[in-house]
Amino acid sequence: MSILIFLSSGLFLGWSVGANDMGNVFGTAVGSKMVRFKVAAVVASIFIVLGCFTSGGGATLTLGRLGSVNEIGGSFIVALAAAIAVFWMSRLNLPVSTSQSIVGSLIGWNFFSGSITDYDSLMKIVSSWMFAPVVSGVVAVFIYFLVKRLLNRIKIHILYLDFYNRFGLIVIGAFGAYSLGANNIANVMGVFVPVAPFRPINTYIGTISGSEQLFILGGIAMAVGVFTYSARLMRTVGNNIIPLTPVTALVVVFSSSTVLFLFSSQNLERILATHGLPTIPLVPISSAQAVVGAIIGIGLYQGGGSMNLKLLGKIASGWVTAPVLACVISFVSLFIIQNVFNQAVYKPVRFSMSAAVERRLVSEGITFAAMEQFIGKEFRNAIEFKKALISSGTELDESDLSRVVELSELRYLIVNTDIIEFEISQGWFTPEQTATLKKLNGRNFKYSWELRDELEAMSPDWKLKKDTPEGRHINRNIISKLDYIYKKFWVIR
C-alpha cells in the first residue's frame, strides 16, 4: 500500500502528460475536425503504452544522470511537483513542457539534498529543447513543400483526398503517440527507476524488469489522461496558432512525431553509430515545442501573416514558468515532508578522500597541490565537498573536479547475494556474473568503484566493452545491474 501511495504522484504526472501532451499529437487532427476525439483517444492510448514499454529506457538514462533520486519519498515529491506545475498550466489551457517541469523539479531535489547537478546532462537536455522545435519546423516545411508539389501534380478527387487525410492523421497520430510514450515516460517514471520497488517478472514474452513495469503503469496513467482531460488542449494547439487545413494538420503531426522518435530511439542511435554517422542524444524533449515548432515553420513558410503571435507569447511564457515553478514546489515540498511529516526524501551521502582514492586519481592523471590535506576529511554532501575543493585553490577543470567528487562518494557496501536471490534465480544475472558475486559474498567495500573494479578483475562479464554501437548496448545492461546491486548492498551509516 505504501508503494502505491508513493507511486501515486508518478501516476498523477502520467495522467497530466496524457491530458496535456496528447494535444501535441492529435490536436491538429481533432482541431481541424478531421478525426473525432474518441477515435483519437483510443488509438493514442494503445500506442502510448506500447511506446512506454518497448522504447522507454533511452531517455530515462539521460534524465537519471541529471539527478538520481535515492529515496522513494523524494521520488514522490519530485514527480508530484512536476505534475502540479503541468496541471496548473493545463488549467490555463497552455500546452507546457512536461520535460521542463520534471527537470526543474529534479534540480529542486538536487538543491535540497546537496547533490551536484550534472551540467553536461542538463546542457544536453536544454540544448535539445532549443534544437527540437527548429528541427521540427525544418522537417515540417520540407514535407509541406513536397506534399503541396505532389498534390498540384496529381489531381485527387476531393472525397478521396478527405479519406486519405483522415486515414493518414490516424496512422501518423498512432506513430506520434508511440513516440510520445517512448520519449516522455522518462518524465513520468524516470525518477522512480533508481528506487524501483518491483522485481523482474518472467512471462511468455520474456522477463519484464522492474523499470519496464513502471513504464507500463506510467503508460496506462497517460492513457487515462488522454480520455479524461485532453479534449480542450487538443483544440488549443490544433487550430489557434494558425488556421490548419487537413494537409497542414497531417504535416504537423508527422513532423513533430518524427522529432520525438529521433530523440528516443536506441535502435536508431545504434544504426547511425554503426555507419559512422553522428548520433542524436536520447533525451526527453518537449512534445509541445516540437509541434509548435512545426506549426511555426509552416506559418513562416506561408508568409507568417496568419500566425497568432499573442498566443505564441503566452505559450512561450508557460515554457519558462513551468520549470521554475516545479523547482520551487519541489524544494518547498521536500522541506515540509521531511521536517513536518518526518518522511525520508533522500539518503544522506557523505564524501571523503582516502589513500585509495588518491591512488586512483593519480593513476588517471588527476592531481592537485592540496590533495594531501583532504585525506581523511569527511563532507556532508557533494556541494560542500566541491566548494571545499575549489576554495583550496585547486586549478582542476570541471570534469576533473566532478571525477574527484565521484570517486570520493562513500557507499559502504556489503555483498550479500541472499538479498538478490530472486533476481539470480530469474536469470537476470548471467551464470558468470552470479558466480563472481557469490565469490565476493560478505566482502565490504567503502566505495562503489572498488566493488566494480573487483568484479571487472574477476570476470569479463562485468567488464565494460569498447565504445562501439554493440558495446554501448552491452554497457547499458552492465551499468543497470551495477546500479541495482549498489542500491541493494548499500548499508546506511
Side-chain angles (χ1 to χ4, degrees), residues 79-217:
L80 181 63
I84 291 173
V86 171
F87 181 71
W88 193 348
M89 297 294 108
S90 298
R91 292 285 295 176
L92 298 175
N93 282 351
L94 293 177
V96 299
S97 168
T98 310
S99 302
Q100 291 170 335
S101 297
I102 197 67
V103 166
S105 193
L106 266 174
I107 292 174
W109 184 86
N110 285 346
F111 284 147
F112 185 82
S113 64
S115 302
I116 295 175
T117 298
D118 185 345
Y119 287 104
D120 287 339
S121 297
L122 179 60
M123 290 306 299
K124 184 184 291 187
I125 294 172
V126 171
S127 63
S128 74
W129 293 343
M130 295 181 285
F131 185 56
V134 175
V135 174
S136 186
V138 172
V139 171
V141 169
F142 178 71
I143 296 174
Y144 182 73
F145 172 77
L146 292 180
V147 170
K148 292 291 286 183
R149 289 285 299 271
L150 181 65
L151 291 177
N152 288 334
R153 288 189 176 187
I154 303 174
K155 302 300 181 181
I156 303 175
H157 192 280
I158 188 170
L159 293 179
Y160 286 111
L161 182 60
D162 180 76
F163 170 77
Y164 293 149
N165 273 320
R166 293 177 191 274
F167 181 75
L169 285 168
I170 292 174
V171 172
I172 293 174
F175 170 55
Y178 177 90
S179 300
L180 177 68
N183 190 271
N184 274 241
I185 192 61
N187 303 326
V188 174
M189 286 294 177
V191 294
F192 291 96
V193 169
V195 291
F198 303 124
R199 287 177 166 178
I201 298 175
N202 277 340
T203 67
Y204 290 109
I205 61 174
T207 301
I208 301 177
S209 67
S211 298
E212 289 170 335
Q213 293 171 54
L214 285 173
F215 295 161
I216 293 171
L217 285 174

Side-chain angles (χ1 to χ4, degrees), residues 350-369:
R350 295 182 177 273
F351 294 78
S352 177
M353 284 185 61
S354 65
V357 173
E358 182 183 24
R359 288 193 297 271
R360 180 61 179 266
L361 289 170
V362 171
S363 71
E364 295 182 9
I366 302 174
T367 59
F368 54 97

Side-chain angles (χ1 to χ4, degrees), residues 284-328:
I285 65 170
S286 168
S287 58
Q289 290 175 329
V291 75
V292 171
I295 293 174
I296 291 175
I298 293 175
L300 292 174
Y301 180 76
Q302 294 176 339
S306 60
M307 292 174 57
N308 188 337
L309 298 179
K310 184 177 181 181
L311 178 60
L312 282 175
K314 190 176 179 183
I315 291 173
S317 68
W319 290 342
V320 174
T321 304
V324 176
L325 179 64
C327 180
V328 173

